[in-house]
Amino acid sequence: MTKKEYLEFLDEISRMFPDAHCELLHDNPFELLIAVVLSAQCTDALVNKVTRDLFEKYKAPADYLSVPIEELESDIRSIGLYRSKAKNIQGLCHRLLEQYGGEVPKAHEDLISLPGVGRKTANVVVSNAFDTPAIAVDTHVERVAKRIGLCKTNATVLEVERKLMRFTPRERWTETHHQLIFFGRYHCKATRPNCETCPVLSLCPFGRKRLSAPKKTNRSKKKASPSHAEAT
Ligand code: SF4
């Protein structure tokens, strides 16, 4: 995909999702940091369900350290990987108090030094909490970037992030991040993407190939099935 085509794609998805935004509920940078840590391999909807009560109980880093880890685990146990997430949350709260006066640091390199905080989490926090342009690559962003042919299918997450940053005007990084997530979450879904009605189909090699592939009928499926062949 050329840069010109990519910019056409961006214009289209910003028409589709002009109000794309961070769907993790939060009132301040600290709550956002906790929510993003919890969201690894978990839906935003489930995280929001848990943080509604969690943020009532724990308002500041010291609150998370005032309870035994088992209690925190129990408070977040409906979320996947809750044991390691509870450990990381207490670890990062400890570091926030020890090194940053209980505040969430604004610098990307400080954020990624915290337990459980990787590039994606740090990018989400700096862009949403501190208005620093960034493009966080989550599963939706990665899938879309590969399907439209912006990146090769074997590109790493870091390569995808770098390509997106190179092709996207810096002032559009944060909105593009949200629009790519909305586009991947609600339109170019992992299974059954809406290629038939997709406004960027003409730009997308994956969609064109998918739609031109012969559809499998029940009959051809039966023919292909070894167990059916044996039975007949
Ligand atoms: Fe996604 Fe299909 Fe659109 Fe390509 S054509 S961007 S695969 S929905």
Side-chain angles (χ1 to χ4, degrees):
M1 171 176 265
T2 63
K3 186 168 179 178
K4 186 170 171 284
E5 288 169 332
Y6 171 70
L7 291 174
E8 270 176 53
F9 163 80
L10 275 197
D11 288 342
E12 198 53 61
I13 67 168
S14 48
R15 272 191 286 275
M16 289 172 80
F17 299 105
D19 301 319
H21 57 276
C22 176
E23 293 194 295
L24 290 169
L25 301 176
H26 64 280
D27 279 336
N28 54 54
F30 178 60
E31 287 186 356
L32 177 63
L33 177 60
I34 299 293
V36 187
V37 168
L38 290 174
S39 73
Q41 295 179 45
C42 181
T43 65
D44 288 1
L46 180 55
V47 172
N48 289 338
K49 228 168 148 180
V50 168
T51 55
R52 222 180 5 235
D53 292 336
L54 196 74
F55 293 162
E56 277 299 310
K57 180 172 176 182
Y58 305 94
K59 307 258 185 225
D63 299 333
Y64 286 92
L65 297 172
S66 69
V67 297
I69 189 143
E70 294 77 14
E71 186 173 333
L72 180 55
E73 285 174 358
S74 161
D75 289 334
I76 62 169
R77 70 176 309 126
S78 55
I79 287 183
L81 309 172
Y82 67 93
R83 283 211 169 93
S84 59
K85 288 176 183 174
K87 191 168 167 228
N88 283 332
I89 288 172
Q90 285 201 332
L92 76 85
C93 286
H94 186 69
R95 287 277 305 285
L96 291 183
L97 285 169
E98 206 173 46
Q99 276 183 268
Y100 301 104
E103 299 292 321
V104 176
K106 291 184 177 174
H108 194 272
E109 63 269 28
D110 291 333
L111 279 164
I112 56 171
S113 75
L114 298 171
V117 178
R119 281 190 73 79
K120 188 198 84 174
T121 301
N123 282 343
V124 172
V125 172
V126 295
S127 59
N128 289 286
F130 302 125
D131 285 333
T132 303
I135 300 181
V137 177
D138 73 350
T139 177
H140 301 296
V141 176
E142 181 180 1
R143 182 178 66 253
V144 170
K146 290 180 177 179
R147 280 182 176 169
I148 62 173
L150 183 72
C151 301
K152 292 193 175 136
T153 50
N154 62 355
T156 63
V157 169
L158 187 57
E159 286 166 344
V160 173
E161 184 186 321
R162 286 190 175 139
K163 188 73 178 272
L164 285 166
M165 288 194 299
R166 206 164 66 241
F167 273 26
T168 310
R170 190 179 160 83
E171 67 278 9
R172 290 179 72 177
W173 283 2
T174 301
E175 70 185 44
T176 293
H177 157 69
H178 293 310
Q179 285 161 351
L180 283 169
I181 289 180
F182 269 54
F183 184 74
R185 186 176 283 159
Y186 300 114
H187 180 85
C188 184
K189 293 170 275 192
T191 53
R192 296 173 180 254
N194 297 335
C195 303
E196 291 82 355
T197 58
C198 185
V200 295
L201 176 62
S202 63
L203 300 168
C204 176
F206 179 94
R208 287 200 309 269
K209 191 168 167 199
R210 182 168 171 261
L211 291 187
S212 66
K215 292 240 180 336
K216 279 188 184 162
T217 61
N218 283 340
R219 205 172 156 169
S220 60
K221 273 186 207 159
K222 279 181 188 169
K223 262 190 186 168
S225 156
S227 57
H228 178 76
E230 278 161 22
T232 53

